[in-house]
Amino acid sequence: MKKTLVASAFALLLGVLLSLAPLAASAQCVMCKTQVESARQERDDYDVAGLNKGIVYMMTVPYILMGAVGYFWYRRTHPKAAKK
């Protein structure tokens, strides 16, 4: 009973924190947009490939971390069956 209560409280807290994440993320998008617009005003042939690679890099790190935590959590909660 207590384990279920702790798990549900954790899920609720995680849901609240993840629902607040877009508020912080939208501020970063404005910064990237401002950077690209100012660079394009200076040069017409501004290449945004470096900026795009940086965004993809920053996007993949949380997914890798969540995947690793999920994998180790699964391995810990589902032990291997004993071989006969």
Side-chain angles (χ1 to χ4, degrees):
M1 177 72 180
K2 186 176 181 182
K3 189 175 183 180
T4 306
L5 182 64
V6 170
S8 62
F10 177 73
L12 179 65
L13 178 66
L14 185 64
V16 169
L17 290 176
L18 289 176
S19 67
L20 296 175
L23 297 176
S26 66
Q28 300 303 321
C29 292
V30 171
M31 291 172 57
C32 292
K33 181 181 175 187
T34 305
Q35 173 65 27
V36 170
E37 287 176 353
S38 67
R40 286 204 175 186
Q41 287 177 355
E42 294 175 12
R43 295 188 336 222
D44 287 336
D45 60 343
Y46 181 71
D47 186 21
V48 294
L51 182 63
N52 289 340
K53 287 179 185 177
I55 291 170
V56 170
Y57 174 74
M58 290 189 314
M59 178 185 71
T60 57
V61 172
Y63 285 111
I64 291 171
L65 290 175
M66 287 190 303
V69 168
Y71 173 76
F72 288 115
W73 186 6
Y74 176 80
R75 296 291 295 168
R76 185 170 182 215
T77 58
H78 294 81
K80 291 182 179 179
K83 293 183 179 181
K84 292 182 180 181

